[in-house]
Amino acid sequence: MLTRRDLANAVRFLAMDAIQKANSGHPGAPLGMADMAETLWNDFMSHNPGNPAWFNRDRFVLSNGHASMLLYAVLHLTGYDLSLDDLKNFRQLDAKTPGHPEYGIVPGVETTTGPLGQGIATAVGMALAEKILAKKFNKKNFPVADHYTYVFVGDGCLMEGISHEACSLAGTLGLNKLIVLWDNNGISIDGETSGWFSENTLARFAAYGWQTEEVDGQDGEAVKKALARAKKSTDKPVFISCRTTIGFGAPTKAGSNSTHGAPLGEAEIEHARKLLGWRSAPFDIPAEIRQKWDARLAGQQAEKKWQKLFSDYAKKYPRLAAEFGARLQGDLPGDWRAPLLALVEETLKSGGPEATRNSSKKILEALAPLFPALIGGSADLSASVGTKWSGAKEITPGNFSGNYLNYGVREFAMAAIMNGLALHGGFLPYAGTFLVFSDYAKPAIRLSAMMKQQVIWVFTHDSIGVGEDGATHQPVEQLASLRMIPGIQVWRPADAIETAAAWEEILRHKHITSCLALSRQNLPVLSRAKTITVEKDSTTKDATPTQLLLYTMHKGGYILREAAGEPQAVIIATGSEVALAVSAAEILEEKKLPVRVVSMPCAEAFDQQPVAWRCKVLPPNIRARVALEAGGKDWWRKYVGLDGAVIGMHDFGKSAPGKVLFNHYGFTADNVAKTVETLLKSKNTETK
Amino acid sequence: MLTRRDLANAVRFLAMDAIQKANSGHPGAPLGMADMAETLWNDFMSHNPGNPAWFNRDRFVLSNGHASMLLYAVLHLTGYDLSLDDLKNFRQLDAKTPGHPEYGIVPGVETTTGPLGQGIATAVGMALAEKILAKKFNKKNFPVADHYTYVFVGDGCLMEGISHEACSLAGTLGLNKLIVLWDNNGISIDGETSGWFSENTLARFAAYGWQTEEVDGQDGEAVKKALARAKKSTDKPVFISCRTTIGFGAPTKAGSNSTHGAPLGEAEIEHARKLLGWRSAPFDIPAEIRQKWDARLAGQQAEKKWQKLFSDYAKKYPRLAAEFGARLQGDLPGDWRAPLLALVEETLKSGGPEATRNSSKKILEALAPLFPALIGGSADLSASVGTKWSGAKEITPGNFSGNYLNYGVREFAMAAIMNGLALHGGFLPYAGTFLVFSDYAKPAIRLSAMMKQQVIWVFTHDSIGVGEDGATHQPVEQLASLRMIPGIQVWRPADAIETAAAWEEILRHKHITSCLALSRQNLPVLSRAKTITVEKDSTTKDATPTQLLLYTMHKGGYILREAAGEPQAVIIATGSEVALAVSAAEILEEKKLPVRVVSMPCAEAFDQQPVAWRCKVLPPNIRARVALEAGGKDWWRKYVGLDGAVIGMHDFGKSAPGKVLFNHYGFTADNVAKTVETLLKSKNTETK
C-alpha cells in the first residue's frame, strides 16, 4: 500500500538525481518541501496538465525558486509536457528545465522566480486578479472565475522587504483565496537563521490581518488538514508555517545548510535510497506511483466542467461572456485609436503648454473607458502622477469592484503585483510613481521584461525639473538603467503629441514592458512645421497627416525640425529638452548654421527600425552630434560617438526651482547652441 | 508661563512660514510632529549644536524626510549653524536648507532622507555602531561610547519593505538603544491610509521583538513618559506609536492630505496664528521661547564632560583610547600596503587560476587584521562571496563583540545599515551579495554615493559566468547602472593582481563609495610582459616594479598588452573578458595584425586621469576599437564610439554551465579576433 511519503519520495529522488546529474542545483528545499507539495498537488490543486493555460486553474507560485526541481518533478509527475529527458537536461543550454523556474520556458510555471520575495508578491497580484474578475463576472451559480492561489515561500522570501509590502497589502485587502505555505526549516545559506531571523513570523502575519497556523510540514496529513481549514477562510489570506527539515531524507546532511545549494553527492543519495526505502534507479518511477500522481484525466475533466459552465454562462450572459473572453485574450477594442486621434487633432490645433504627466492623464481619460482590462494604481502618488482618471474606481478592503489600486508606499510590491495581474490574464496593469523611485521597483521591472509582460509604468518627475524636492528626488542614471533592461521600451515624450504616440504604441504591444518618463513641468506643444514624417506607402495611403505624424513618432526617433539647408549638425534630444533643442537650432539658424533637431522619444524603438530610417534620421556622415537630456550622460555616446557632445547631468541635482536648475546645469538654448558651435569649430579646425 | 505647546508652535510657524515663502514644501508632517520633536529635543537629546561632529551625541534621524522643515526649525532653535536667513532660503539654489535633509549640506543632519524607509534602516546601522563600539571600548565607569539613536518615521516608511528588513534584524539583534517614534496620523498622500495600510503595526513590531506602546503624539508630556520608559529597555529596540493629526494647527486643513505636500496658503496660516495663539510675525521667535530651545550651553557642557571622561580613559587605557581615536578619524593603519604587496609579489611569481571572489578573500585575509574598523557582512551568501575571512567574528543577538554581520536575505537594509555604520563613525563597512541583486540594494547605494560614504560592495557572480542558476541570477545591465551613479567607482578586476590594486584604491579613498564586480569562475593571472606601466617620477622614484604595476592599475585603464608594432586596433576589456582579449590579440598577431589590449578595471578612475594618460592608452586616432564585457553593450559606446564594436550581452542570459554560455554568446577569442578583423576591413574599405 502506497503512503503519502512514497509519493513524496518520487519528488525527492527526481530532485536529488537530476541535481546530481547536472552537478549543480539546490536539493535542500525540494527534499524538505516534498511532503507539502505532494499533499497540495494530489489533494488540492485544480489544474489541467494538458492545458497549462486553462484560465480557471489554481495558481501555484514557488517563491523560493531555487527549489525548482521540486516543481519540475511535480509538473513531470502530474503530466505536464515535461519529460524525463527534460529532467535529465536540468540546467543545460536551452533545456525546458532552467536553474530557476522561468515563465514561458517551463510549461506550468506561472511566474519566473529565484530573486527572492518576488514570487509571493506576484502571487498577491494573481489572487487579486481572481477577486476582481470574480466580482465583475461571476453570477449566481456561475462562478466562472473561481480559483485559489497557492504559494510556497522560504525564509529568504520572508526576510526580503517585498514580502512585507505585498503581504501587508494582501491582509488589508482581504485576499482570502491566497494560501501561503512557509518552508519553515530554520536554515538559510549562512546557517541557522536564529542569528538573523528570529521574528515571530506567525504573529507578524497575524498583524497584517492574515489567518495563521503552524503544522508539521513533514506530515502530509497535517498539511492536508491545515489546507482544508485555509480554504474556509472568508476574509483573510492564510499563512501556514510548515515546520520542515531542510534536505529531509539525506542521511548525514539533512538539517544542514550544506544541502542548500550543491548536489548531495552519489554516496549520500545512495544512502538516502536505503533510508527512505526507495528501490528505483535514478529517473525510474514505479508505475503505481506514477499513476497516483497522474493528474491528466482529472485535469481534463475539471477543465471540461468549467468549459460547460462557461458555455452555459455565455448563453445566459452573452455580453459579460464576450467581455470576459476578450479580456482573457487581451484583444484590443475596436476603433480604439479614434479618440486618441481626436485628442491629438485638438491638441495640434489649440494645445497650450502642459506637463506630459497631465497629457498622459488626458490620454487615459480618452482611452481607458475603451480598455476594461486596464487596472491602474500608484504608490501613494495618484494625484501627482496622473494615473487616477475620472473613471478610476478604487478597490478597497473587501470590495473588489474597481479598476484602481492604492498600493500605498510600496513601489517594489506594486511592480510585482502588476506582474501577477498581467500573468494571471484579464488585466492590463499600469501604475505610477516618481522616476527616481523606479530604483525601488527595478528588480521586478526586470522580471516584467524577462517574462515579456505588458506592464505599463507611468514615471513622472523625470529630471531636475522636479525642482525643490532636491537631489533625492531627481533622477539621473535611472533613464539609462531602465533603457538597458533587455527588451524594455522607455518613452520620454517631448510634448502632448508624443505622449499620445507613446501610449498608442504601449497599448498596442502585447508583449513589451514599457516605461513612460513624464515631466512635472509644463512643456509647449512643439511646432511640426519642419517635421519630416514617414512617406505614404501601400498600407498608409489613406492616412491623415496626423496619423502619419504619429506613425513617424512610433519610429522612436525622427526629424522633428529639419535644418534650413544641408544640416551641419544634429541635436538629439528627448522629453523636456526637445523644446530647448529647437530654440538652440533657431539661434544657430540666425547665425547661418543649419542644424537638424531629432526627437528621440524611444531609443529602443528607433534601434529596431530598418537601417534606412536610422540613417535618414542620423546620417552616418554627420558627426557633429549633440545629445541633450537632463539625465546621465554616458549612455548617449551610443548616438553621438566620440566626436559628439553630450549635455547632461554630472551630479545628483540640487534643491531649487526647476527653472533655476535648468539654467544652473546648462540646459539653456544658448548653451546648447554654443556647444554645437564649439563642436563645429573643432571639426573645422580638424579638417584644416 | 510658557507651555510645551508654545515651544512646539515655534517649530510649527517656522515650518509654515518657510514653506509658504518657498512656495513649496510639506507642512503636514512638521505640524503634526512638532510636539514630539519639542519633547525629544528639549528633554532627551544629548547633543552639542556648536559641534555637530561630537562623537558621543545622540543620533537623530528624520526618516520621513519630507518633514525637513521640522528638523531645520529644531536645528535653528537649538543653536546649530543654521540661521533665520537659511530658513528663509528654504529650497533655494545652494541653500543650507534643501527640500529634503541632506547630509553634508545641513549641519546636524545625520543622514540624507527623503527616499522613504531608508532613514529608519540607516538608523539601525547607527544604533548597531554604538553597540559594537561600546562593547569594544567601554570600561567600567568609562562609557565612552554611549548614546541613543532616535528616529521619526511616517506611514510611508513603515509601508516600505526596507523598514521590515531593518527592523526585523534590529529586533533579532536586540538594539535597545534604538527608539523609534511613529507619526501615526492615518493619512498618506492618497488619503486615509485605512484603505491600503491597515496592519496592526504595533503587533508587527512586537513580532519583531520590539518593545511597543502607543501614546497621544500631540501631548508632549505623554511623549515624555513614553520616552523615559523607552530608555529603560535593556534588550529590545523600542517603537512608540504617536497618534497625531497631520497639519495640526491648520484650522481648516488639519487632518487632511491637503496639508501634506503644498504650502498651506497665507490665509490658512493667518488663521493658524489665531487658533494657536501665536502673535509673532513670520520668522520672528519671541526671546523667551528662543531661550528655552537654546541648547548650546548644555551641549558644550555635555561634550566637555565627555571629553574629560575620555581623557581620563586615555590615561587608564591608552592603547584602547588610541585605537578609538584612530577609528573615529578613519586613519589608515601604518604600512598597510606591505602585506598587500607581498601577496601580489607571491601571486605574480606563482599564482594559478583563481576566481576573483577568492582573490578578494585572500586580500581580506591579508589586510583585514590591520583595519579594525572593517565590518563585514553578507546578505546570506557569506561563503559564496568571500566576505567572511578567518578573523571575521559574527555579531549575534545580544552579543556585539564581533566584526561580521549576517544580514540575512536583506540586501536593501544591508546597504542602508552600512550607510548608518559609515555615517556613525568608527567603521569601514563592506558586504557582499551577487551582482544581479545590486538591484535590490540600489536605492541605498545611490545614497551612499550622494553622501560620499566609504562603503564597499563585494558583488560576485558578475556575469553569465554564474552559469546554471540562469537568467534570473545573471547580471546584464547592472554594471552600467552602477557606473552611472554619480561619484561611485566600480572595479571589475581581470585577475588576482587587479583585484589587489582595486582593494588598495578602495581602502585609500575615504569619501568614495566603491563596488567590486568579481567572478565566480577561475581567471588566470595575466602575463604583464607587455604591460606599459607608469613611468617613474619624483614621487615614485623608489617604487619597485610591482608597485609601479599597481600604480598603473590605479589609473583605471591601462595598456595591459602592447601590440607588436604600431597598433591597428584596441580591444578594451574588463574582468573575466580580459584574458579573452589577450588570446584574441595573440591570434591577430599571428595574422600580422598588431592589436593593443587595454584593461579597464575602473572606468570612473580612468576618466579622472589627465588627458595625456587617457590619450596614451586610447589614442584618439585609433578608431578601430572593440569593447568586450559580458554585460550590457550600450554603455561601452562611450569608449568605442560609432566606429567601434561592442561584444556584450543582448539578452538576459540562460541556464547552462558558464563555459557553454561564454561560447553561446560569442565570448570566445576567435569571435573577438574576427570582430576586430571585420572592423579593420571595413575601415580599410572606407579609406579606399
Side-chain angles (χ1 to χ4, degrees), chain A residues 555-618:
Chain A
K555 298 204 171 285
Y558 66 100
I559 303 167
L560 172 90
R561 182 191 184 282
E562 185 51 303
E566 190 65 27
Q568 292 191 26
V570 180
I571 308 174
I572 310 165
T574 79
S576 44
E577 287 70 72
V578 176
L580 269 183
V582 171
S583 301
E586 284 165 0
I587 291 173
L588 291 163
E589 206 157 277
E590 287 193 6
K591 298 184 178 183
K592 308 291 173 210
L593 289 172
V595 169
R596 170 184 291 181
V597 174
V598 167
S599 179
M600 198 177 280
C602 182
E604 301 76 43
F606 180 71
D607 289 350
Q608 284 168 14
Q609 299 308 316
V611 69
W613 179 263
R614 285 184 281 133
C615 287
K616 182 177 168 176
V617 174
L618 296 177

Side-chain angles (χ1 to χ4, degrees), chain A residues 24 26 91-94 98-100 102 112-116 118 156 158-161 164-165 168-169 172 188-190 194-200 203-204 207-208 380-382 397 406 408-412 436-437 439-440 442-443 446 449-450 468-469 471-474 476-478 480-481 484-486 623 625 632-635 637-639 641-643 650-652 654-657 660-661 664, chain B residues 24 26 91-94 98-100 102 112-116 118 156 158-161 164-165 168-169 172 188-190 194-200 203-204 207-208 380-382 397 406 408-412 436-437 439-440 442-443 446 449-450 468-469 471-474 476-478 480-481 484-486 623 625 632-635 637-639 641-643 650-652 654-657 660-661 664:
Chain A
S24 171
H26 301 78
R91 295 185 158 231
Q92 304 310 307
L93 189 66
D94 293 326
H100 290 78
E102 290 189 39
T112 296
T113 54
L116 294 177
Q118 291 196 53
L158 298 176
M159 285 186 251
E160 288 287 1
H164 161 65
E165 296 181 6
S168 176
L169 184 59
T172 292
S188 65
I189 297 179
D190 281 345
S194 55
W196 49 90
F197 184 53
S198 67
E199 64 175 41
N200 182 338
R204 170 186 156 204
Y208 293 156
D380 203 41
L381 285 168
S382 290
N406 290 313
V409 190
R410 302 177 176 107
E411 297 83 5
F412 193 5
V436 76
F437 299 132
D439 278 356
Y440 276 65
K442 167 68 167 40
R446 187 168 209 259
M450 199 182 284
E468 292 89 343
D469 273 350
T472 54
H473 285 55
Q474 291 164 1
V476 175
E477 71 279 21
Q478 282 68 21
S481 295
M484 288 198 67
I485 299 175
R623 290 304 184 94
R625 301 176 176 187
K633 295 162 80 159
D634 289 352
W635 185 86
R637 288 287 162 192
K638 179 176 176 182
Y639 297 106
L642 302 171
D643 304 311
H650 61 272
D651 72 9
F652 284 107
K654 285 168 187 279
S655 171
V660 174
L661 292 175
H664 178 80
Chain B
S24 170
H26 300 79
R91 295 185 158 228
Q92 304 310 306
L93 188 67
D94 293 326
H100 290 78
E102 291 189 38
T112 297
T113 54
L116 294 177
Q118 291 196 53
L158 297 175
M159 284 185 250
E160 288 287 1
H164 160 64
E165 297 181 6
S168 176
L169 185 59
T172 292
S188 64
I189 297 178
D190 281 345
S194 55
W196 48 90
F197 184 53
S198 67
E199 64 175 41
N200 182 337
R204 168 185 158 206
Y208 294 155
D380 203 41
L381 286 168
S382 289
N406 291 313
V409 190
R410 302 177 177 107
E411 297 82 6
F412 193 5
V436 76
F437 299 131
D439 277 357
Y440 277 63
K442 167 69 168 36
R446 186 168 211 258
M450 199 182 283
E468 292 90 342
D469 273 350
T472 54
H473 285 56
Q474 291 164 1
V476 175
E477 71 279 21
Q478 283 67 20
S481 295
M484 288 198 67
I485 300 175
R623 289 304 183 92
R625 301 176 176 188
K633 296 162 77 160
D634 288 352
W635 185 85
R637 289 286 161 191
K638 179 177 175 182
Y639 296 106
L642 302 171
D643 303 311
H650 60 271
D651 72 11
F652 284 107
K654 285 170 187 277
S655 171
V660 174
L661 292 176
H664 178 80

Side-chain angles (χ1 to χ4, degrees), chain A residues 321-497:
Chain A
E323 186 183 333
F324 193 61
R327 279 181 65 165
L328 295 195
Q329 299 215 5
D331 293 345
L332 284 167
D335 73 347
W336 62 279
R337 284 185 158 105
L340 191 76
L341 266 176
L343 183 62
V344 169
E345 299 277 11
E346 193 192 314
T347 309
L348 284 171
K349 235 177 272 166
S350 58
E354 183 173 74
T356 49
R357 59 176 169 150
N358 293 331
S359 312
S360 170
K361 192 179 179 193
K362 279 190 189 166
I363 292 158
L364 272 176
E365 294 286 359
L367 292 186
L370 302 178
F371 286 82
L374 271 178
I375 178 150
S378 168
D380 203 41
L381 285 168
S382 290
S384 291
V385 298
T387 44
K388 200 167 170 191
W389 59 290
S390 57
K393 193 182 161 216
E394 290 179 15
I395 286 160
T396 55
N399 182 353
F400 299 96
S401 66
N403 58 359
Y404 194 85
L405 287 152
N406 290 313
Y407 287 98
V409 190
R410 302 177 176 107
E411 297 83 5
F412 193 5
M414 179 165 80
I417 290 171
M418 284 205 286
N419 287 345
L421 289 161
L423 288 161
H424 181 277
F427 293 94
L428 181 46
Y430 73 93
T433 183
F434 292 172
L435 178 58
V436 76
F437 299 132
S438 64
D439 278 356
Y440 276 65
K442 167 68 167 40
I445 300 174
R446 187 168 209 259
L447 281 193
S448 308
M450 199 182 284
M451 297 190 284
K452 299 188 171 38
Q453 293 303 296
Q454 191 179 13
V455 169
I456 305 168
W457 282 92
V458 181
F459 290 125
T460 68
H461 296 61
D462 70 347
S463 74
I464 47 169
V466 162
E468 292 89 343
D469 273 350
T472 54
H473 285 55
Q474 291 164 1
V476 175
E477 71 279 21
Q478 282 68 21
L479 282 168
S481 295
L482 291 169
R483 286 173 179 143
M484 288 198 67
I485 299 175
I488 210 168
Q489 290 202 342
V490 178
W491 290 86
R492 187 165 188 257
D495 64 2
I497 310 298

